[in-house]
Amino acid sequence: MKLVTEAAWVAGSAAVAGLGVALVDVGKTGQVTWAAGVVFLAFGCCLAGLVAALRRWAPGGSSFLLWPTALLVALGLVLIYRIDPVEAPIQLWWIVAGIVAAIGILLTFRWGVEGLMPVGYWLAATGLCLIVLPFLSRLLGGGANAARGLWLTIGWGNVSFMVQPFGLGAVLLAVGLAGIHSRWALESPSDRADNRLVSIRDLLVMGVVWVTTLPLLWATGDLTAWAVLVVLSATIAYAATGDRRVVWTGPALVGIGFVAGLTSSRARVTLEVWLDPFSAGEAGAGLKESLLALGSGHLSGSGLGMGDPELVPRATSDWILAALGEELGLAGTVAVIVLYGLVTAAGVGVSIGSRDLFSKVAAAALSFLLCLMFLASAGGLQRLLPPTDMGLPFLAYGGIPLIAGWVAMALLVRISHDGQGPL
Amino acid sequence: MTDFVFTALRLIFLALIYLFVWYVAKGIANYLGLGDSLRTTRPGSRLVFIRSESQSGMHFTVADSVVLGKSPDADVPIDDPYASEFHLRISRRQGKLSASDLGSDNGTYLNGRRLRTPVDLARGDALQVGRTVLEVR
């Protein structure tokens, strides 16, 4: 892509962020403050830095992966500024950290991502540890206040903050599982590269993910987040082997786990909230307010700064799409859905165009992870699925999910670079 | 500020988002080759390996005539145990690409149908040689 075109994309993304902040100011106070200019410059500089790194270390990579991501991050920043102006500067710093992490990934893997395949076991194990950290925190005596859902409270003395290690854990798990399954698929004696039969080892790995994450389901009651992990493990096994029987194993494991999970009181509460949020009391407040917010948004929304998203509990993180639906309406929500669809489509395109099996499977795994996280979060918010604490990647407030999203994006761009080139 | 101005600004913001989404969608469609495959009547000039053990993403342009096959002496070597030594020929005639099977053991398939006679190729056509798939772009 030409430098001028990329500069236009950077300016366009930063303009959406700056204009959005200006509209929030106008909607709330009737006048524009300096915050719009700061956001425009800061966000533009961050993206320019990332584009420079892409041109340096992955010039053949698909930069079209970057632009829907940048727009989602810009919209998230605008909404966070709208809902809680105190959190907006922190989110801007998290964006900087995420972009620095993405540049770090591009620099580290400037000669390719093949080095990740042999360390697949370690990546998957680290990912699983991060995912079950909220459960371990309770088990090791952190008390009920140490973890709420997928969130973990870390504190020293009077200072404490909440982190959600789920997103980063899921990214590490996806890349790790891609490495494990690809390695076994390449070792397979079958010469049918496009249709290797799934082995006991592949099923065993799916079982390990299922068993290891089941305590998380019991501890948090988050049926949807847990199902994302199980479906992801089945999808990766399918991408590596091409055996369609694995596809049916995923829903079967989800079904068995679902029944097992209902022995947990937290899971039962989640189910009650899902079935009838309006009579679930305090537990159903988030879903109830989210549905009301979405319903009041109509076609084009109430306008930035003109709605009442602060009525939705944890509106900047768990329920940010409800705030967007209220203030930008159906039009804004559909735009976000299309953007996530485009990110997934571009990721699948990267997977198809990859030259080696590991890159192919890793790109598919990361794309499906982002897609599943979006479907789970948006589905939970609209009562199509049980509600989840899992934040929307790129859009929601929170450092670790945002950094995880940028890391996944950098890996996809790097893989797309490796897939290019003349014969 | 009047409601009218604010409503206009709100719609401009949404329009800006959709403009952005439209250009991104167009770019990704081109990247995925969807923009080309929708115009199947247009002749193509480039072949891309879209499924291959080791050559996915690679591409080549046909200027006059090329022979594809497993042999290292083929113009375009195919890394596929199911391909014949000299499997098929792709040539350019009056600006159009055409494919002809060179009597290969496992055959050449165009959009899922076995090639019996030389056939003109259009953008979006998929040629299968063994388990390798090439797309005309």
Side-chain angles (χ1 to χ4, degrees):
Chain A
M1 194 179 277
K2 287 180 182 173
L3 188 61
V4 177
T5 317
E6 284 185 328
W9 281 113
V10 169
S13 310
V16 169
L19 187 63
V21 168
L23 276 175
V24 170
D25 284 339
V26 170
K28 283 167 83 173
T29 62
Q31 53 190 353
V32 179
T33 64
W34 49 267
V38 170
V39 165
F40 175 78
L41 284 175
F43 194 59
C45 289
C46 287
L47 288 179
L50 184 56
V51 168
L54 281 176
R55 293 181 76 87
R56 175 76 179 82
W57 292 303
S62 168
S63 58
F64 282 110
L65 279 158
L66 176 63
W67 306 122
T69 311
L71 188 59
L72 284 169
V73 173
L75 284 174
L77 185 61
V78 169
L79 286 167
I80 290 163
Y81 179 75
R82 158 66 187 99
I83 300 162
D84 188 352
V86 177
E87 284 183 350
I90 305 171
Q91 178 75 352
L92 200 53
W93 280 112
W94 280 121
I95 292 171
V96 173
I99 287 178
V100 168
I103 293 172
I105 290 286
L106 291 170
L107 177 64
T108 309
F109 298 105
R110 58 191 181 279
W111 290 295
V113 296
E114 298 83 12
L116 288 171
M117 188 165 75
V119 294
Y121 294 104
W122 292 105
L123 290 174
T126 312
L128 281 173
C129 287
L130 283 173
I131 288 166
V132 299
L133 210 54
F135 166 71
L136 290 177
S137 166
R138 282 192 188 146
L139 198 69
L140 298 175
N145 293 329
R148 175 182 61 74
L150 300 174
W151 292 89
L152 188 71
T153 307
I154 298 173
W156 292 275
N158 293 328
V159 182
S160 69
F161 60 95
M162 292 181 80
V163 293
Q164 194 186 86
F166 183 88
L168 189 60
V171 168
L172 292 176
L173 180 67
V175 179
L177 289 180
I180 293 168
H181 287 296
S182 306
R183 198 170 170 182
W184 289 343
L186 291 171
E187 287 170 2
S188 164
S190 167
D191 54 358
R192 291 288 307 278
D194 57 339
N195 191 23
R196 295 183 184 90
L197 292 179
V198 67
S199 67
I200 294 293
R201 291 188 298 187
D202 295 307
L203 294 174
L204 201 64
V205 167
M206 287 171 62
V208 167
V209 173
W210 188 83
V211 169
T212 316
T213 54
L214 209 54
L216 179 82
L217 174 62
W218 274 312
T220 64
D222 201 326
L223 295 157
T224 311
W226 173 80
V228 163
L229 296 173
V230 178
V231 172
L232 178 74
S233 71
T235 310
I236 296 171
Y238 171 67
T241 61
D243 191 336
R244 288 181 190 157
R245 287 174 300 176
V246 181
V247 178
W248 299 110
T249 315
L253 286 176
V254 170
I256 298 166
F258 197 84
V259 173
L262 289 180
T263 55
S264 148
S265 60
R266 286 174 189 271
R268 284 200 300 274
V269 168
T270 305
L271 205 62
E272 281 166 20
V273 168
W274 180 40
L275 295 175
D276 189 2
F278 290 91
S279 59
E282 185 72 21
L287 183 56
K288 186 175 72 180
E289 293 296 341
S290 145
L291 290 170
L292 291 171
L294 283 171
S296 63
H298 301 295
L299 189 63
S300 61
S302 58
L304 286 169
M306 305 289 277
D308 298 303
E310 57 277 351
L311 294 176
V312 183
R314 306 190 303 278
T316 53
S317 54
D318 301 356
W319 307 97
I320 194 162
L321 199 61
L324 186 136
E326 183 183 2
E327 301 216 327
L328 293 178
L330 180 69
T333 312
V334 168
V336 167
I337 292 170
V338 171
L339 285 169
Y340 277 106
L342 289 173
V343 170
T344 309
V348 171
V350 169
S351 172
I352 291 170
S354 299
R355 292 183 188 178
D356 64 286
L357 187 67
F358 170 67
S359 299
K360 213 176 260 299
V361 178
L366 291 170
S367 313
F368 283 128
L369 173 64
L370 292 172
C371 179
L372 285 171
M373 285 177 80
F374 167 72
L375 289 177
S377 191
L381 190 118
Q382 294 172 40
R383 217 162 75 83
L384 295 169
L385 296 169
T388 174
D389 282 341
M390 195 168 49
L392 273 169
F394 306 119
L395 205 64
Y397 175 77
I400 293 182
L402 190 67
I403 290 174
W406 280 114
V407 166
M409 193 49 53
L411 284 171
L412 281 170
V413 172
R414 178 62 230 184
I415 292 170
S416 77
H417 169 81
D418 293 335
Q420 298 298 309
L423 190 70
Chain B
M1 193 173 285
T2 64
D3 283 350
F4 173 76
V5 174
F6 190 75
T7 304
L9 285 173
R10 194 177 72 193
L11 294 176
I12 288 170
F13 184 66
L14 280 172
L16 184 65
I17 291 173
Y18 271 94
L19 186 72
F20 199 104
V21 169
W22 169 250
Y23 277 106
V24 172
K26 230 168 74 166
I28 289 177
N30 284 333
Y31 171 70
L32 295 175
L34 294 175
D36 291 340
S37 59
L38 292 173
R39 297 187 293 273
T40 51
T41 51
R42 288 180 57 187
S45 59
R46 197 163 62 110
L47 279 100
V48 182
F49 285 83
I50 60 168
R51 197 179 79 189
S52 166
E53 183 74 353
S54 61
Q55 294 172 296
S56 287
M58 294 184 174
H59 56 81
F60 61 92
T61 308
V62 181
D64 183 25
S65 173
V66 290
V67 172
L68 289 83
K70 199 166 59 177
S71 166
D73 294 330
D75 297 326
V76 176
I78 300 178
D79 181 17
D80 189 322
Y82 292 92
S84 297
E85 294 292 312
F86 298 96
H87 199 105
L88 83 153
R89 181 194 304 278
I90 296 174
S91 48
R92 180 180 285 277
R93 287 185 305 194
Q94 295 169 341
K96 283 185 177 177
L97 292 184
S98 73
S100 50
D101 189 86
L102 298 176
S104 62
D105 292 335
N106 294 316
T108 303
Y109 292 82
L110 175 63
N111 300 327
R113 291 191 172 184
R114 188 158 185 169
L115 222 60
R116 304 284 179 194
T117 55
V119 176
D120 284 346
L121 301 173
R123 282 194 186 194
D125 281 345
L127 275 170
Q128 186 164 0
V129 176
R131 61 185 186 216
T132 301
V133 178
L134 300 106
E135 189 179 290
V136 183
R137 291 187 183 170

